[in-house]
Amino acid sequence: MALKSKIKELQERREKLLRGGGEQAIEKQKALGKRTARERIMALLDEGSFNEYDLFVEHDARDFDMDKKTLPSDGVIIGTGTIFGAPVAIYAQDFTVAGGSLGLMHSRKITKIMDHALKMKMPLIGINDSGGARIQEGVNSLAGYGEIFFRNTLSSGVIPQISVILGPCAGGAVYSPALTDFVFVVDNISKMFITGPEVIKTVLGEEISMEDLGGARVHSEITGNAHFFSSSEEECFAQIKKLITFIPWHNGQKARTADTAEPDPGFNIDKIVPDDPTLPYDVKDVIKSTVDNSDFFEIMENYARNIVIGFGRIGGRTAGFVANQPLEMAGVLDVDSSDKAARFIRYCDAFNIPIITFVDVPGYLPGIDQEHAGVIRHGAKVLYAYSEATVPKITVILRKAYGGGYIAMASRHLRSDFVFAWPTAEIAVMGPEGAANIIFRKEIMSSDDPDGTRRLKIEEYKKMFANPYVAASRGYVDAVIEPSETRRSLLHSLAVSENKMIQVPEKKHGLPPF
Ligand code: HXC
């Protein structure tokens, strides 16, 4: 056969496979506001950058009449490409082919691209849209999932792993996203659950919709399984692309630098913290008044809002920000905010991203609910994560730094490299009211005017400790700075910590309080 006719044959074979599960299934997909797997890859990657592998892969299952079924590319598209020039490995499950269900060859395609990503050291993006384990293939499907989970774990901390949930993600299939670093969900499209509504109805006799069980809002606001929420696939892809600009391609390098511009002066950093220390303010304004272009890329925006995490740049370099949020529960640390912060700190540490911490924390949240939910174990994760992190750590105490919260929020004692405090900082074992009530109880009780004495004693305690100078006199705080000096201090601290190197005791691995 002449080359020309061989090329024609190739084109025809390709054409057929590129149609996926056929017109009817594609129409059904579109009616749900979803793109096809191929369209998703094209929308996400730089134009013309996609190289596909394993287009011609076929399943060889025989049971349940599977030998009579052809499943184009076995329901998943894999390949490599670029996003703003950054190399990425990608797979997208094709729901139009047997509901994107995962059979043996389908799983082998995914593990092939995972191996490739790890070997070539590039981020991995998985687009999930699947009915889960292909029921007809039995244990082979389960084996496939196991191989994926193993590779997710092996790659953890080496390459960034991003999961995009653009359809159902049912049964144990959700554990691959759960093992990855960032999970993206889209309103009305994403569904994640271990046991679906049918099973719940059978076992528990309860009726529940897929949306209420594990929709995008549930995972962004309640479970904390999702890191980014959006209202359309288009918005979701814009978020993924932006994330890729902030993070390094693997753990052996630093994030690329970007053009620098000063923050928006409209934020007026000197005026953010109110004069009255009991009034709240938005800590995101503090972050935006210090980062380049005032561009703060928040992560898990709607989960455990009492702590804020995300990326920003200082002088063109990526930094990870962790900040107590006085607008929500006075910025207290609790079970969920501890989990949220600790995981992010570990991400930054694994990928050479310096951590900047803004502190305004009244302590850990008291009460039986929190105690019984395990605030000791979860709270300890923050201590562990900060202590373990060897990337440059910079702390700015804005206002309250009380008790365990003071220690946990990147204090000097957990080896923060630079600790700054604003003049508004109050560093103490606990709040002045609580402290005065305890240590001056006898004097207050025996006084002719207990309320007046209490007020006096509170003032006395405040004068003594509700300031940054006692901590500064011990060297726990390196410098007391004006708010307007913050960006300059961060720029300088980052510049002088470029070559930070730390020796840690040799061990296989530590035992964080998971
Ligand atoms: C084989 C499947 C499938 C599956 C869907 N299909 N899920 N085929 N194995 N798991 C097929 C359907 O038969 C159908 O084929 C096509 O995909 C589209 O499915 P529909 O049901 O028509 O789509 P829709 O109405 O949109 O419903 C989507 C769905 C539903 C909610 C995901 O299909 C569903 O409930 N599927 C089963 C989910 C599930 O229980 N999976 C197994 C979980 S156990 P035709 O030929 O008719 O077009 C599991 C264990 C993993 O995953 C453990 C890992 C550790």
Side-chain angles (χ1 to χ4, degrees):
M1 222 195 291
L3 177 62
K4 214 167 151 191
S5 54
K6 288 198 174 194
I7 289 176
K8 189 161 177 281
E9 185 200 353
L10 168 64
Q11 286 171 343
E12 283 168 2
R13 281 175 180 262
R14 269 192 195 150
E15 272 303 306
K16 215 168 144 196
L17 291 167
L18 294 182
R19 287 197 289 267
E23 287 309 312
Q24 218 181 333
I26 291 174
E27 262 173 41
K28 195 175 157 194
Q29 177 92 344
K30 300 262 176 181
L32 295 170
K34 293 160 69 179
R35 299 179 190 199
T36 65
R38 198 166 290 281
E39 286 169 348
R40 285 166 173 167
I41 290 178
M42 296 311 160
L44 193 53
L45 300 185
D46 295 337
E47 209 180 327
S49 74
F50 183 53
N51 272 274
E52 183 168 355
Y53 316 123
D54 285 355
L55 177 70
F56 298 111
V57 157
E58 289 175 17
H59 74 86
D60 63 356
R62 293 283 166 266
D63 300 334
F64 303 103
D65 287 340
M66 283 296 283
D67 48 344
K68 300 191 186 77
K69 275 194 183 159
T70 44
L71 303 179
S73 304
D74 211 34
V76 63
I77 301 171
I78 65 163
T80 49
T82 59
I83 292 180
F84 297 132
V88 295
I90 189 164
Y91 71 83
Q93 293 180 309
D94 184 351
F95 195 84
T96 69
V97 178
S101 57
L102 184 137
L104 184 65
M105 293 311 290
H106 180 120
S107 73
R108 284 203 181 145
K109 287 181 69 171
I110 293 177
T111 53
K112 179 189 260 191
I113 205 65
M114 291 178 84
D115 289 342
H116 200 70
L118 183 59
K119 190 166 56 185
M120 304 302 179
K121 300 273 192 289
M122 62 176 123
L124 173 79
I125 300 175
I127 300 180
N128 297 266
D129 186 0
S130 165
R134 189 173 297 154
I135 295 163
Q136 299 91 328
E137 294 199 36
V139 70
N140 273 334
S141 306
L142 300 182
Y145 275 118
E147 294 291 331
I148 293 171
F149 303 161
F150 176 78
R151 284 167 176 79
N152 284 134
T153 309
L154 204 64
S155 296
S156 181
V158 184
I159 52 168
Q161 299 184 83
I162 292 166
S163 297
V164 197
I165 314 297
L166 293 181
C169 189
V174 292
Y175 282 118
S176 175
L179 288 165
T180 62
D181 306 324
F182 299 107
V183 177
F184 289 76
V185 292
V186 178
D187 204 12
N188 296 318
I189 291 180
S190 314
K191 315 274 184 281
M192 294 174 84
F193 42 75
I194 297 278
T195 44
E198 286 297 327
V199 179
I200 291 178
K201 197 174 161 193
T202 314
V203 178
L204 303 172
E206 290 171 10
E207 297 258 6
I208 187 160
S209 72
M210 265 205 268
E211 196 60 38
D212 289 342
L213 184 63
R217 284 184 192 278
V218 168
H219 290 300
S220 315
E221 294 169 20
I222 302 171
T223 67
N225 285 327
H227 300 82
F228 294 95
F229 171 89
S230 54
S231 46
S232 67
E233 291 198 15
E234 197 178 0
E235 197 187 317
C236 171
F237 293 157
Q239 288 174 338
I240 297 169
K241 288 181 186 184
K242 187 159 183 183
L243 173 67
I244 291 286
T245 69
F246 277 105
I247 56 178
W249 304 345
H250 59 84
N251 68 343
Q253 62 168 211
K254 291 183 180 176
R256 285 177 294 178
T257 52
D259 291 343
T260 317
E262 288 297 305
D264 178 354
F267 283 103
N268 197 354
I269 194 165
D270 284 323
K271 295 244 163 71
I272 295 174
V273 175
D275 288 338
D276 180 346
T278 61
L279 291 180
Y281 60 91
D282 189 349
V283 79
K284 289 184 217 173
D285 289 346
V286 176
I287 301 174
K288 288 178 191 164
S289 65
T290 53
V291 294
D292 297 356
N293 297 313
S294 293
D295 183 15
F296 176 54
F297 187 52
E298 190 172 357
I299 301 168
M300 298 179 94
E301 188 179 348
N302 298 313
Y303 178 75
R305 296 162 83 117
N306 40 330
I307 206 148
V308 173
I309 58 170
F311 295 121
R313 293 191 182 87
I314 301 273
R317 289 210 172 279
T318 299
F321 288 82
V322 181
N324 309 112
Q325 173 58 289
L327 277 185
E328 194 78 22
M329 299 160 72
V332 77
L333 280 171
D334 61 359
V335 165
D336 291 343
S337 61
S338 296
D339 281 1
K340 174 174 165 181
R343 188 168 161 79
F344 180 64
I345 292 161
R346 299 194 90 212
Y347 182 85
C348 292
D349 189 43
F351 289 100
N352 314 308
I353 298 171
I355 301 163
I356 295 171
T357 307
F358 288 122
V359 185
D360 189 346
V361 63
Y364 281 97
L365 182 62
I368 189 167
D369 290 348
Q370 283 292 305
E371 297 289 350
H372 288 193
V375 70
I376 298 174
R377 178 163 49 88
H378 294 282
K381 293 177 188 174
V382 182
L383 301 170
Y384 194 103
Y386 270 124
S387 301
E388 174 193 47
T390 57
V391 289
K393 295 181 278 193
I394 307 167
T395 310
V396 186
I397 303 173
L398 311 178
R399 196 166 61 172
K400 296 183 190 76
Y402 292 163
Y406 157 72
I407 305 170
M409 292 302 292
S411 65
R412 160 60 29 81
H413 323 294
L414 306 187
R415 300 296 178 272
S416 189
D417 300 294
F418 306 93
V419 182
F420 300 102
W422 286 5
T424 42
E426 303 171 20
I427 304 169
V429 172
M430 61 198 295
E433 287 78 9
N437 276 337
I438 294 169
I439 59 176
F440 302 118
R441 184 169 41 212
K442 281 190 192 130
E443 275 173 83
I444 293 169
M445 300 290 273
S446 60
S447 151
D448 296 339
D449 174 13
D451 285 344
T453 311
R454 182 180 292 112
R455 273 198 301 277
L456 267 176
K457 292 295 175 191
I458 288 172
E459 276 315 306
E460 202 178 302
Y461 189 86
K462 266 190 195 163
K463 264 206 194 102
M464 188 78 177
F465 288 114
N467 62 63
Y469 300 106
V470 179
S473 75
R474 294 282 170 271
Y476 302 148
V477 164
D478 298 309
V480 183
I481 58 170
E482 295 174 34
S484 57
E485 293 172 315
T486 306
R487 181 170 156 88
R488 190 203 152 274
S489 302
L490 294 177
L491 270 164
H492 178 78
S493 306
L494 288 171
V496 299
S497 51
E498 272 282 302
N499 302 321
K500 182 182 176 189
M501 275 219 276
I502 288 226
Q503 296 288 333
V504 289
E506 207 169 298
K507 55 180 142 180
K508 187 172 173 193
H509 57 67
L511 293 163
F514 273 49

